[in-house]
């Protein structure tokens, strides 16, 4: 890779949430193995991000690679309309087995955001089939569900990446975010706002949607399981289906296979993505109950109106099968619990740091909420120069490492965060 390649990237290629006039320079990764990313200059840096929560077993995993190679020899892709194949059948079978009994039908799609669109469309069609024109969704402030239009409409309208689109988005209902955190005592008042909105609008609401337990991009908050429980009880009372967005939290990240297990509740629709393929290829799934699926199928349209070109991509399904197999046979519970223990031991003491407002830990997620926003350019440079890959946003420095990270590497991630906090020039 030459200077001119780097310049071409800078000049012509759009990166996530980046300016085309003054983009923050990107670091070139030439390969990745385990929990290391190898940069162009030959330096290996420790990955604290799992490529946005997806690479749970580490990079370049031999079992995942083998699954991809084996499948590629047969076929990389074939359309899913009118055709089926074993990788998709095996995957859907696995997903149904892994999730609560009620979730019985699977719709595969390309990305997390699309799986949210699919879930919301399902409920619009569900109500149409029942003879009602419901299109309003009730959600919770500080949520994030993706970058497509319906997903943006249920993400926090103020505190979000999407504020600038507000006038274009369908207007949804937003309840106050929970205040009781995961480890605090439950305060029943937390549910008051949701309850009030539900009582007033229940006859118009098509569905409830929220991230169970962990609100990610909207603030990295871990809320009390009772909040989720109460939401499900209230929604059930009004017969309104609930969508759980487990795109970030699914497959073990919070210490349970799915975050909703912390509250012992079951959704009517479940969205999965990110780590479903162990961070190798994009794939997502929307699971629902047979009741919802069959009701939709009885609608005027006679079918569910969605069908992405790459739906059920065999390569993605094959590697997702291998990923789930690793999860089921390896020590993910122990790995995540060890990470959590180390975070409590080494990251939690930062709560006493003068520039830290809060430290939050759940499973393999560690969050430091700072009193000042980071200077993204400078802090990223600092992290890379110090041998780690951490990508904070606003006042939040957080890590979601691969489950396979070593004690030493996790210590290094934490120590580098501590060193960053002591450098005022890295903050605005
Ligand atoms: C909770 C949640 N939902 C949905 C999405 C969107 O997923 P994708 O980026 O695959 O479209 C994300 C992505 O960060 C997420 O964290």
């Amino acid at each position: 890779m030459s200077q001119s390649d780097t310049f071409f990237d800078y000049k012509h290629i759009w990166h996530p949430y980046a300016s085309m006039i003054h983009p923050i320079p990107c670091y070139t990764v030439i390969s990745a193995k385990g929990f290391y990313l190898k940069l162009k200059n030959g330096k290996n840096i420790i990955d604290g991000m799992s490529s946005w929560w997806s690479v749970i077993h580490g990079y370049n995993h031999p079992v995942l690679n083998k699954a991809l190679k084996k499948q590629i020899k047969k076929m990389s892709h074939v359309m899913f309309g009118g055709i089926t194949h074993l990788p998709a059948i095996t995957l859907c079978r696995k997903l149904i087995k892994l999730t609560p009994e009620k979730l019985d039908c699977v719709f595969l799609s390309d990305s997390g955001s699309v799986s949210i669109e699919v879930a919301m469309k399902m409920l619009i069609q569900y109500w149409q089939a029942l003879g009602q024109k419901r299109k309003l969704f009730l959600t919770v402030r500080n949520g994030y569900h993706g970058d497509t239009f319906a997903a943006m409409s249920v993400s926090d309208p103020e505190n979000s990446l999407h504020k600038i689109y507000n006038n274009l988005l369908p207007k949804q209902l937003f309840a106050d975010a929970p205040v009781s955190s995961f480890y605090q005592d439950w305060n029943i008042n937390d549910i008051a706002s949701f309850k009030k909105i539900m009582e007033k609008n229940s006859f118009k609401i098509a569905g409830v949607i929220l991230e169970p337990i962990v609100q990610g991009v909207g603030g990295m908050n871990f809320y009390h399981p009772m909040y989720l429980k109460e939401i499900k009880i209230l929604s059930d009372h009004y017969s309104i289906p609930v969508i759980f967005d487990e795109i970030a939290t699914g497959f073990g990240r919070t210490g349970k296979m799915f975050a909703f297990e912390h509250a012992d509740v079951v959704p009517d629709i479940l969205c999965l993505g990110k780590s479903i393929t162990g961070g190798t290829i994009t794939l997502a799934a929307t699971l629902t109950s047979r009741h919802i699926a069959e009701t939709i199928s009885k609608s005027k349209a006679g079918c569910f109106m969605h069908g992405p070109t790459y739906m059920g991509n065999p390569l993605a399904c094959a590697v997702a099968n291998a990923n789930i197999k690793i999860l089921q046979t390896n020590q993910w519970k122990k790995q995540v619990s060890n990470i959590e223990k180390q975070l409590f031991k080494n990251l939690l003491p930062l709560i006493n740091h003068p520039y830290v407002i809060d430290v939050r830990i759940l499973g393999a997620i560690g969050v430091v909420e700072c009193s000042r926003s980071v200077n993204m350019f400078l802090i990223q440079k600092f992290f890379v120069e110090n041998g780690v890959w951490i990508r904070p946003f606003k006042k939040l420095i957080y890590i979601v490492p691969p489950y396979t990270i070593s004690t030493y590497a996790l210590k290094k991630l934490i120590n580098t965060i501590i060193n960053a906090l002591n450098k005022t020039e890295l903050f605005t």
Side-chain angles (χ1 to χ4, degrees), residues 111-113 144-146 211 245 247-248 274:
S111 71
S113 303
Y144 173 78
H145 298 284
E211 297 157 278
D245 174 352
I247 290 158
K274 288 190 186 276

Side-chain angles (χ1 to χ4, degrees), residues 136-335:
L136 201 56
F137 286 84
L138 170 55
T139 184
V140 175
R141 285 195 184 274
N142 296 344
Y144 173 78
H145 298 284
D147 291 353
T148 50
F149 269 74
M152 285 197 291
S153 79
V154 285
S155 300
D156 193 288
E158 275 135 39
N159 167 37
S160 93
L161 308 162
H162 308 124
K163 202 174 166 182
I164 51 170
Y165 301 106
N166 266 356
N167 292 338
L168 291 171
L169 300 173
K171 294 272 169 271
Q172 311 289 13
L173 300 169
F174 290 87
D176 292 345
V179 179
S180 311
S181 80
F182 189 84
Y183 297 105
Q184 280 175 336
D185 288 338
W186 165 238
N187 181 348
I188 189 80
N189 294 331
D190 274 12
I191 200 68
S193 156
F194 184 93
K195 193 171 177 200
K196 199 167 152 200
I197 299 175
M198 178 63 102
E199 279 166 0
K200 195 167 160 215
N201 302 281
S202 65
F203 61 98
K204 299 194 272 195
I205 296 172
V208 166
I209 177 166
L210 77 167
E211 297 157 278
I213 307 297
V214 177
Q215 293 194 295
V217 181
M220 298 296 295
N221 291 312
F222 310 146
Y223 64 81
H224 201 287
M226 276 308 289
Y227 187 73
L228 197 62
K229 223 179 169 81
E230 291 288 340
I231 281 184
K232 189 67 178 96
I233 291 170
L234 273 164
S235 307
D236 282 352
H237 177 76
Y238 291 101
S239 303
I240 295 175
V242 178
I243 304 166
F244 284 171
D245 174 352
E246 289 260 5
I247 290 158
T249 47
F251 302 104
R253 179 59 65 181
T254 68
K256 302 269 187 195
M257 182 60 87
F258 300 107
F260 61 75
E261 292 171 25
H262 289 285
D264 199 16
V265 286
V266 173
D268 303 285
I269 299 189
L270 175 66
C271 295
L272 301 171
K274 288 190 186 276
S275 62
I276 192 170
T277 62
T280 52
I281 316 186
T282 183
L283 179 73
T286 308
L287 283 85
T288 189
S289 64
R290 183 151 296 278
H291 164 67
I292 291 179
E294 287 186 356
T295 308
I296 291 169
S297 308
K298 284 180 207 148
S299 69
K300 215 165 146 199
C303 64
F304 178 51
M305 279 297 175
H306 204 98
T309 304
Y310 282 92
M311 183 171 181
N313 173 259
L315 264 185
C317 292
V319 75
N321 285 327
N323 174 56
I324 294 172
K325 198 164 173 192
I326 298 174
L327 262 179
Q328 285 172 326
T329 47
N330 84 356
Q331 302 290 310
W332 71 268
K333 244 185 176 182
K334 184 115 192 68
Q335 289 168 334

